[in-house]
Structure formats: C-alpha cells, structure tokens
Amino acid sequence: MLVKHSVISNIGRLSSLSPSSSVLRRQQFLVRTLCGSRFNPLKLIRAMSSTSEADAESILRTITPSLDPKRHKGQAGKIAVIGGCREYTGAPYFAAISALKIGADLSHVFCTKDAAPVIKSYSPELIVHPVLEESYSISEFSEEDKRKVQDKVIGEVDKWMERFDCLVIGPGLGRDPFLLECVSKIMLLAKKSNVPFVVDGDGLFLVTNSVDLVKSYPLAVLTPNVNEYKRLVQKVLNCEVDEQNAEDQLRSLAKQIGGVTILRKGKSDLISNGETVKSVSIYGSPRRCGGQGDILSGSVAVFLSWAQQLKSGPESQKNSSPSENPAILGCIAASGLLRKAAALAFAKHKRSTLTSDIIECLGESLEDISPAS
Ligand SMILES: NC(=O)C1=CN([C@@H]2O[C@H](COP(=O)(O)OP(=O)(O)OC[C@H]3O[C@@H](n4cnc5c(N)ncnc54)[C@H](OP(=O)(O)O)[C@@H]3O)[C@@H](O)[C@H]2O)[C@@H](O)CC1
Ligand SMILES: Nc1ncnc2c1ncn2[C@@H]1O[C@H](COP(=O)(O)OP(=O)(O)OP(=O)(O)O)[C@@H](O)[C@H]1O
Ligand SMILES: [Mg+2]
C-alpha cells in the first residue's frame, strides 16, 4: 500500500493537471483502480498523463491571425452553416453571426425557403441561401421530381463548396427525412472537397443514425451536448455513458468513429480525437439559456480554419506553429472563448443573460486575450 501511495504522489507531481472537477473524478477513479486487485502502475501513469486541462488562452493567442493590411477579404475565413427550418431560425443565426463576430470575413447560411427571410431579417451581414426543402413542400411530387429537387439542392451547395474553409452542419436543421437525406449528400460533397465540417444539433441526429457519414474523416468535428452524446455512445459503443471514466470513454468513442474529433459539452468541455483527451474548465456562466452550443459550433469552425491556416502557412516552416491537430486546437480555442464571453455577459446581465448578450461579448473577450493592435 505504501508503494501505491508513493506512486500516487509521484504521478501527482509529474502530471500538470489542474484541479478541475473532471480531473478530481478521474483521480477518484484512479484511486479505486489502485486499491483494486488488478493494480497496474504503468496503466495508471498512462491514464494520469493522458488528460490535461488545455491552456485555452495561449492557444487563442497563437492561432488568432493578426489584422494584416495585406490580407484580402476571405482570408480570415469563409464559413457556411447548413441549418434553419420552419421551427428553428435562431440556431443557424447564432452560429453564423458568432463566426463573423470572432473575425471570419464571410458567413453563409443554407436553410429552407421558409427560414431564409427570417434569418435575413436578423442581420444584413449574413449571406442566406434559401435552398433546402422539407418533405411537406414536395409531398405532391413524383419520385422522379423529388430526385430532381434533391439534385438541385446539392447543385446549389456544390457551387460554393470549394470556397468554404469550414461548414457547420446541423444548428436548427430539424429532422425532416427528405432534408436530412440532402444533408447527408452535402457531407459527402464536403468530404470529396476536403472541406472540414463541424456537426452539431440535428446534424448529430443524422450522424448518430448513419455513422459512416463521418467515420474516418479526420476533418470532422462533432460537438454533442448531454443528450446528443448519450445517443452517440449508445449507438457506437453499445453501452451507457460512464461518468466515472468519462475521458477514456470519450477517447474510445472518437477512436471507434475513426479518429474524428469530439467536443463533449458540459460543466467541463472534453475534447478527443481518439488519441489525446483535453479539457477546458474555465468558469463560464450559470445561465443555461438555449443557443450557447450554436455559438460554440460557429466558433469551432473559425478557429479550426485559423489553426489549419497556421499549419499550412509559412509559420509551420519556422516550426512555430503548434504541434497539436487543428481540429483539437479549434475546439479548445472555441470552448475557452465561449466560456470567457459567457462569464463577461453574466457579469453584466446576471439572470437576464441571453445568448445574444454572450455573442456581444465575444469580441471584447477575444480582444482581452489577443489584442487587434
Ligand atoms: N433559438 C433556436 O432556434 C435554438 C434552436 N436549437 C435547435 O433545436 C434543435 C434541437 O436541439 P436541442 O438541444 O433542443 O435538442 P436536445 O439535445 O435533444 O435537447 C432537448 C431537451 O433535452 C433535455 N436536456 C438538454 N440538456 C440537458 C441536460 N444537460 N441534462 C438533462 N436534460 C437535458 C431538455 O429537456 P427537458 O428538460 O425540457 O425535458 C431539452 O429541452 C437543434 O436543431 C438545435 O440546433 C437549439 O440550438 C437552441 C436554440
Ligand atoms: N453545466 C454547465 N456548466 C458550465 N458550462 C456549461 C454547462 N453545460 C454546458 N456548458 C457550456 O455551454 C456551452 C453549450 O453547451 P450546451 O450543453 O448548452 O449545448 P447545447 O445544448 O447544444 O446548446 P444549444 O441550446 O445551443 O443547442 C458549452 O460550451 C459548455 O461549455
Ligand atoms: Mg445544441
């Protein structure tokens, strides 16, 4: 037992973990492992050192590009949100406007015809394409005409695909079967063009039922909330969510889906691509108003694009770009910034804090970490 105690304290010194609640849970799990009959110090050391609280602020500083007058419109990011239907117009708006507020140059929304005028009315900054169709609008069509409509939808998105740095698929998409079939074809197009995509909201409903759509695509990021994560774990790992062993389960899930990046939202955000697991536990806000996940998905798209630019740009030759993969960096940066902005918005608005208030604080929060000049 003495040996076990010294192993624990040495691991404690070796690991640079900060005392977030997920880390505490993990330590409790490890102590249980230690006291159990199958004590394996090597396994324990590996487990202890594999999850760490990410330094989100330092990553934000590294990947946020400077505002160079030589750069032209588009270079700071062209994002497209695929979402917005009769029921939900707020979610795609939140994701698309957050991308602009962080610093992307252009933000598009591909939504249904009904949702488009509403989304346009929220902001003249967004480029809104009323191209998606739901079953009710084609219910009288023959199978052949339905095919034609589908081809037209895909064609409209395809015209733009190569120009986008990242897609956000799912905020306010709804679950209409015809619409989701079109969206699965849009995912195939994105993969063909090597365009990264973030899957959120109803996009995760689609992917959970057809995991092959994202399997082994390294440029896919999934951002499930509690419910969406539960459904994904049940479908892919065929078991229930294990809170006591959250990091290892997340790693297995990401690995099982072929190394996609998963950002599991919660009290602490946990991020894994099947290899490393990082956490972001910066204190955000106690308000749980709807739409904060939409800010997150739009933000991941921008930061992922910036991290990827850094990796492929001249900085990478100077060995000054971070070694971590751009999807992981994008998730850490987005989670850190959202939490900072939520804290700032809450300080100002308290109980009446809304998602729009948090969006208003994105710029100030990023400025605090990475000043424009
Ligand atoms: N303004 C807009 O247009 C917005 C539109 N949105 C869009 O809506 C679509 C559906 O997305 P979603 O998130 O509402 O669906 P889902 O995850 O099934 O949750 C549904 C229910 O699950 C529960 N629940 C949730 N969290 C929980 C927790 N931690 N722990 C326990 N239970 C929890 C809770 O149920 P309740 O407590 O009411 O029983 C909750 O109501 C999607 O397209 C999304 O993008 C949103 O982005 C918001 C802003
Ligand atoms: N219990 C919590 N404590 C602190 N922060 C949280 C908590 N739950 C979620 N968050 C933060 O809020 C953000 C949005 O997560 P949430 O679980 O609300 O997503 P969502 O349900 O998809 O939101 P949306 O309403 O946009 O669909 C995450 O980045 C996470 O950091
Ligand atoms: Mg959501």
Side-chain angles (χ1 to χ4, degrees):
M1 197 60 203
L2 206 65
V3 177
K4 290 178 186 175
H5 276 302
S6 94
V7 171
I8 291 179
S9 64
N10 278 332
I11 293 165
R13 277 198 294 277
L14 283 172
S15 70
S16 59
L17 301 177
S18 62
S20 67
S21 60
S22 70
V23 169
L24 286 175
R25 268 201 312 279
R26 181 170 196 81
Q27 283 169 343
Q28 284 159 3
F29 163 73
L30 290 165
V31 169
R32 275 202 312 280
T33 310
L34 263 177
C35 299
S37 55
R38 284 180 294 152
F39 170 57
N40 178 344
L42 273 180
K43 200 170 168 190
L44 184 62
I45 289 167
R46 228 180 300 130
M48 272 302 261
S49 55
S50 60
T51 306
S52 61
E53 175 71 12
D55 184 351
E57 289 204 14
S58 142
I59 288 171
L60 275 160
R61 265 189 290 277
T62 309
I63 67 176
T64 302
S66 55
L67 294 173
D68 184 341
K70 285 192 234 101
R71 285 162 71 90
H72 64 71
K73 181 177 66 181
Q75 278 186 302
K78 298 181 287 290
I79 306 301
V81 177
I82 315 287
C85 63
R86 272 204 296 192
E87 285 88 354
Y88 309 120
T89 53
Y93 165 77
F94 292 144
I97 203 75
S98 299
L100 286 180
K101 286 279 188 182
I102 287 169
D105 287 334
L106 294 161
S107 193
H108 294 242
V109 177
F110 291 82
C111 57
T112 66
K113 292 190 168 72
D114 293 331
V118 182
I119 298 172
K120 281 177 201 273
S121 76
Y122 298 151
S123 167
E125 319 283 349
L126 304 176
I127 302 164
V128 184
H129 307 260
V131 298
L132 303 180
E133 296 280 0
E134 290 183 81
S135 305
Y136 72 87
S137 65
I138 51 158
S139 56
E140 310 284 296
F141 287 25
S142 66
E143 283 308 310
E144 198 195 332
D145 286 344
K146 284 183 185 169
R147 275 307 126 224
K148 282 186 190 154
V149 173
Q150 194 175 83
D151 290 347
K152 192 159 173 269
V153 173
I154 310 302
E156 291 290 336
V157 182
D158 198 18
K159 280 200 292 213
W160 293 87
M161 188 60 84
E162 300 263 336
R163 290 149 96 164
F164 294 134
D165 297 302
C166 191
L167 308 182
V168 183
I169 303 177
L173 192 60
R175 295 184 180 177
D176 179 80
F178 182 81
L179 189 148
L180 291 184
E181 205 183 316
C182 289
V183 173
S184 57
K185 301 247 160 78
I186 294 171
M187 282 187 187
L188 298 180
L189 278 181
K191 288 197 315 195
K192 212 170 103 200
S193 305
N194 268 324
V195 174
F197 55 75
V198 180
V199 187
D200 188 37
D202 299 312
L204 287 166
F205 172 81
L206 171 65
V207 159
T208 302
N209 292 323
S210 313
V211 178
D212 280 350
L213 284 171
V214 295
K215 197 162 190 176
S216 303
Y217 185 51
L219 303 178
V221 177
L222 316 184
T223 55
N225 66 13
V226 173
N227 276 344
E228 292 151 353
Y229 187 71
K230 186 173 165 205
R231 289 193 284 260
L232 209 50
V233 165
Q234 287 169 339
K235 181 71 192 281
V236 177
L237 297 180
N238 215 5
C239 63
E240 294 303 319
V241 172
D242 178 2
E243 290 299 348
Q244 302 304 321
N245 201 6
E247 291 87 357
D248 289 336
Q249 189 174 48
L250 176 65
R251 189 190 290 105
S252 306
L253 181 65
K255 201 168 224 154
Q256 191 71 30
I257 313 181
V260 299
T261 299
I262 303 177
L263 190 172
R264 180 193 170 176
K265 295 177 284 194
K267 195 156 181 255
S268 285
D269 288 339
L270 281 183
I271 300 152
S272 180
N273 58 357
E275 300 293 331
T276 56
V277 185
K278 299 282 176 191
S279 65
V280 179
S281 319
I282 298 167
Y283 186 71
S285 144
R287 277 285 282 142
R288 300 268 60 83
C289 52
Q292 296 182 59
D294 305 318
I295 303 182
L296 186 76
S297 59
S299 311
V300 171
V302 179
F303 288 119
L304 184 160
S305 310
W306 287 352
Q308 206 167 35
Q309 247 178 36
L310 198 64
K311 204 173 171 130
S312 55
E315 294 302 307
S316 65
Q317 264 97 59
K318 285 191 260 159
N319 254 349
S320 56
S321 79
S323 56
E324 198 69 77
N325 112 9
I328 296 267
L329 293 172
C331 290
I332 294 170
S335 170
L337 182 68
L338 170 59
R339 282 162 177 264
K340 288 262 172 202
L344 186 58
F346 186 73
K348 292 182 186 177
H349 302 280
K350 301 290 176 191
R351 283 183 197 276
S352 78
T353 306
L354 296 181
T355 295
S356 322
D357 300 317
I358 301 175
I359 291 172
E360 281 313 308
C361 290
L362 286 172
E364 192 179 334
S365 306
L366 186 54
E367 186 63 19
D368 236 23
I369 298 165
S370 179
S373 55

